[in-house]
Amino acid sequence: ASTSKAILAEIHQEYMALPKSQRGGLTLFKFIMDIVHTNTTEHVELFRSFLNTYQLRDTADEEVPGSVSGFVAVVMMLAENDRPSNLVLLLLNGLESSNQKFNDTVSAQRGALNTP
């Protein structure tokens, strides 16, 4: 776990050092690729943990596009068989915001996904 935190901290530090105009999913993907050259078990668990705990509401308004792109970048880092089967649901769960109308729409989409 401490190695995972160190990897995340290194990626975050490099990413946040960039001007806002250079941040985004592709940049995050590049930083991940620079640090993680293989999908070891630890790295797979790190990425899955990120996806499972993703929360857009923890992101400043101007960073929202980069945050969502970052979610996609992490998904792309995982081999298909390592990706959680409920990716869309994880993203929808992470998209909750302070806007009730938006939350109602997201909730309806989650309900549609949970209906057999």
Side-chain angles (χ1 to χ4, degrees):
S2 61
T3 303
S4 298
K5 289 180 182 180
I7 292 169
L8 282 176
E10 185 176 344
I11 291 170
H12 186 261
Q13 181 179 2
E14 288 183 36
Y15 183 78
M16 295 308 290
L18 293 173
K20 287 182 184 180
S21 62
Q22 292 179 3
R23 296 181 199 161
L26 289 175
T27 305
L28 182 59
F29 183 77
K30 184 217 180 291
F31 287 148
I32 292 170
M33 289 299 295
D34 287 348
I35 292 174
V36 183
H37 297 290
T38 60
N39 277 345
T40 64
T41 302
E42 183 176 1
H43 294 139
V44 168
E45 290 308 313
L46 172 68
F47 294 145
R48 289 175 66 102
S49 174
F50 171 84
L51 296 175
N52 284 317
T53 60
Y54 176 76
Q55 292 295 316
L56 188 62
R57 68 174 162 258
D58 297 338
T59 305
D61 290 347
E62 66 274 4
E63 298 287 326
V64 167
S67 177
V68 175
S69 293
F71 182 93
V72 173
V74 170
V75 169
M76 298 309 295
M77 283 298 301
L78 290 169
E80 189 171 337
N81 60 331
D82 290 328
R83 293 179 190 151
S85 60
N86 61 342
L87 279 174
V88 174
L89 191 57
L90 291 174
L91 179 60
L92 288 173
N93 288 341
L95 291 180
E96 290 183 14
S97 74
S98 58
N99 182 308
Q100 189 57 47
K101 187 173 181 178
F102 180 78
N103 285 343
D104 291 344
T105 301
V106 169
S107 181
Q109 294 301 313
R110 276 197 307 260
L113 285 173
N114 288 324
T115 303

